[in-house]
């Protein structure tokens, strides 16, 4: 196991054991109108980039209604998401398909939400997966 992978394993164990003593940041952030697209924000506590992405999504919500759900990758039940995304949050999914990681623009979000409204959204390339990092 490489030093980076070993560090990730130690971090994962620490986060998972600490999850019993901290409050999850997962759950529904806001509800859009009936039938609107669903965005999932893969996040964790104290993630500054995640807050910035959430701010962009909030602005987009004004003209492009959507439901926003946060998935706390450090919650025990989200261990697989942690293994995939531990080095890359925030990660966004739209309609259960990969959209983006790290940073997003308002234009990117609005265009993707329009595609989803039309039933035309397709997963983007570049989805991170740290499970095989060695």
């Amino acid at each position: 196991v490489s030093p980076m992978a070993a560090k990730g394993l130690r971090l994962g164990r620490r986060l998972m054991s600490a999850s019993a003593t901290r409050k999850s940041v997962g759950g529904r952030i806001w509800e859009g109108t009936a039938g609107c697209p669903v965005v999932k924000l893969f996040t964790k506590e104290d993630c500054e980039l995640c807050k910035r992405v959430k701010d962009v999504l909030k602005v987009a919500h004004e003209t492009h209604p959507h439901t926003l759900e946060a998935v706390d990758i450090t919650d025990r039940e989200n261990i697989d998401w942690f293994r995939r995304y531990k080095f890359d949050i925030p990660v966004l999914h739209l309609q259960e398909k990969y959209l983006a990681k790290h940073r997003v623009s308002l234009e990117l979000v609005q265009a993707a939400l329009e595609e989803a409204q039309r039933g035309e959204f397709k997963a983007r390339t570049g989805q991170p997966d740290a499970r095989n990092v060695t």
Side-chain angles (χ1 to χ4, degrees):
V1 176
S2 74
M4 186 173 182
K7 182 179 177 183
L9 290 171
R10 287 191 304 276
L11 175 64
R13 286 189 200 109
R14 218 173 30 246
L15 288 171
M16 295 304 145
S17 64
S19 67
T21 60
R22 62 161 188 78
K23 185 177 182 211
S24 174
V25 296
R28 183 147 300 164
I29 306 297
W30 61 70
E31 180 86 32
T33 56
C36 70
V38 176
V39 176
K40 285 190 179 175
L41 169 63
F42 293 84
T43 186
K44 68 176 187 158
E45 191 174 34
D46 297 325
C47 172
E48 188 57 41
L49 281 178
C50 300
K51 292 174 189 169
R52 292 180 191 173
V53 167
K54 193 162 62 169
D55 289 344
V56 171
L57 291 167
K58 185 68 174 170
V59 172
H61 183 67
E62 295 171 14
T63 56
H64 295 75
H66 59 277
T67 295
L68 179 61
E69 298 175 354
V71 177
D72 187 330
I73 66 167
T74 63
D75 288 349
R76 288 184 188 274
E77 65 270 16
N78 295 325
I79 185 70
D80 188 53
W81 292 120
F82 175 82
R83 289 178 178 141
R84 289 173 189 247
Y85 295 156
K86 61 189 166 193
F87 302 126
D88 288 298
I89 60 168
V91 173
L92 289 177
H93 284 195
L94 176 57
Q95 302 299 83
E96 302 294 336
K97 298 173 190 159
Y98 173 73
L99 172 59
K101 65 180 180 181
H102 303 164
R103 294 176 175 85
V104 295
S105 68
L106 180 59
E107 295 77 17
L108 178 135
V109 169
Q110 289 173 328
L113 289 167
E114 288 170 10
E115 290 172 26
Q117 273 301 116
R118 294 189 306 266
E120 299 172 358
F121 179 76
K122 290 183 173 55
R124 302 308 197 245
T125 59
Q127 182 171 5
D129 191 344
R131 291 176 295 181
N132 298 318
V133 172
T134 57

